[in-house]
Amino acid sequence: MPENKDLVLCYNRGCGKLFNPNDNDKDECCHHPGSPVFHDAYKGWSCCNKKSVDFTEFLNIKGCTQSKHSNVKPPEPEKKALDKELDKKEVIEVRAPIVGPQLVRPPFDTPLVTLEARIADSLKDIVNKSAQQTAKSSESGAIEIGTTCKNGGCNVSYEGPQSNNSMCTYHPGCPVFHEGLKFWSCCQKRTTDFNTFLSQPGCTTGNHKWLKESAPSGTVKCRWDWHQTPDYVIISVYAKKYNPTASFVKINPIRLNTKLIFTEEDNAAFELDLELRGVIDVSKSSASMLSTKVEIKLKKGEPGAWSKLDFPREAPKKEVAPPTQVVEADLDDAVDLSDVEAIHSIGKVNVSD
């Protein structure tokens, strides 16, 4: 078909048809009066809710409004002009006010206050039973009937002196639990079922061990951690079978001193002595001694979050005396030959005047 020179292109968005300006009396233009919107991989028009993720489908979305064709290009959205003098303008930096510590930190050696810890009934029962068993074993000095062998993996119970003659099959290693697997470090037989792990036969034979070996008196390693709320700092020390009456929790506004005594381990102790990062309110702090842990709840003296729990403290360095330097003097200069007595095999002859 020959091209009609009287036809012009319609610039309404979504139309793009040719029309005759002299014959443009009817509303035959179907277009989008809005602007295109591209957001989160979706493509659509601001005038209607038709969206698509494909660009070709977006171009073929039928217009939502009918009017006359127009050969006038719609105005482009205005772009913000760049301020050429932006680099020359003064930059005003606004920051939140830095609130420093309002409370004065007292000395680290301020007298400590002992907290009256709340002792759980479960811990009292465990300590009483342990004390009774210790008293019975110390009085009789014999192994009770029914005592289980303390070697790992051996479930044999003591039934009398004849039990000492039986062979003990046990695991000399330690149990390992890693990524759902359960095994002994000595034989590496792995399983995911806990009952199967407990029933694994030992890999070494030897004699039964009916009594638990007491740890030497000294220090005990206990795991501990901490967390905080807007008003409190909570420290948890995880321990079992400690003596709540001999143990204590002492604090001052910037210091925490905790000591746990383990009677069954020959009075071995765990001690935690920290210089706290912030200031606390001693009167509103508390402590609880439970069967599995000691929980210390410290009231913050001022609002705010602590970046860390404590300040690291260096142990006092022992002064080492410098080694004494021995100066070897020249014998000719150090000895006055006029005062030397010569000793001969015959006798002593004094050569001095």
Side-chain angles (χ1 to χ4, degrees), residues 8 14 33 51 84 90 103 112 123-124 133 137 197 211 217 220 237 244 265 267 284 295 300 304 321 326 346:
V8 294
K51 298 180 180 180
K84 298 181 180 179
E90 181 182 359
L103 299 178
L112 295 170
L123 178 60
K124 294 179 181 178
Q133 293 178 356
S137 60
F197 164 73
L211 299 177
S217 178
V220 176
V237 180
E265 301 184 17
N267 292 328
K284 296 182 180 179
E295 187 175 271
K300 293 181 180 179
V326 179
I346 303 174

Side-chain angles (χ1 to χ4, degrees), residues 103-179:
L103 299 178
V104 180
R105 291 181 65 87
F108 181 76
D109 297 330
T110 302
L112 295 170
V113 177
T114 303
L115 294 179
E116 294 183 4
R118 182 183 64 84
I119 304 175
D121 294 335
S122 57
L123 178 60
K124 294 179 181 178
D125 295 339
I126 293 174
V127 172
N128 292 335
K129 290 180 181 179
S130 177
Q132 293 175 1
Q133 293 178 356
T134 304
K136 288 181 181 179
S137 60
S138 60
E139 290 175 0
S140 60
I143 303 171
E144 293 184 1
I145 301 297
T147 301
T148 306
C149 179
K150 299 300 184 293
N151 287 329
C154 180
N155 298 321
V156 177
S157 299
Y158 182 78
E159 298 178 355
Q162 65 276 11
S163 300
N164 295 325
N165 299 327
S166 62
M167 187 66 68
C168 177
T169 304
Y170 66 99
H171 293 283
C174 58
V176 180
F177 304 94
H178 181 65
E179 294 183 353

Side-chain angles (χ1 to χ4, degrees), residues 180-254:
L181 296 176
K182 306 162 184 67
F183 58 95
W184 294 90
S185 61
C186 49
C187 58
Q188 301 289 329
K189 294 180 180 178
R190 308 189 178 195
T191 181
T192 57
D193 184 67
F194 190 73
N195 293 325
T196 305
F197 164 73
L198 293 178
S199 60
Q200 282 184 1
C203 58
T204 305
T205 57
N207 297 324
H208 290 290
K209 184 169 63 176
W210 307 113
L211 299 177
K212 185 178 180 181
E213 296 179 355
S214 59
S217 178
T219 59
V220 176
K221 292 183 179 180
C222 294
R223 184 173 64 89
W224 65 276
D225 59 16
W226 73 286
H227 66 279
Q228 62 179 320
T229 64
D231 298 324
Y232 288 92
V233 173
I234 297 93
I235 298 100
S236 299
V237 180
Y238 301 95
K240 294 182 179 180
K241 295 185 179 181
Y242 58 92
N243 190 342
T245 57
S247 305
F248 61 81
V249 177
K250 296 181 180 181
I251 60 173
N252 68 21
I254 63 166

Side-chain angles (χ1 to χ4, degrees), residues 12-42:
N12 288 334
R13 294 187 177 99
C15 179
K17 295 181 179 180
L18 297 175
F19 72 98
N20 189 348
N22 298 323
D23 186 15
N24 191 24
D25 298 332
K26 299 180 181 179
D27 295 339
E28 296 179 350
C29 179
C30 184
H31 66 282
H32 294 283
S35 58
V37 179
F38 303 95
H39 181 67
D40 286 346
Y42 283 99

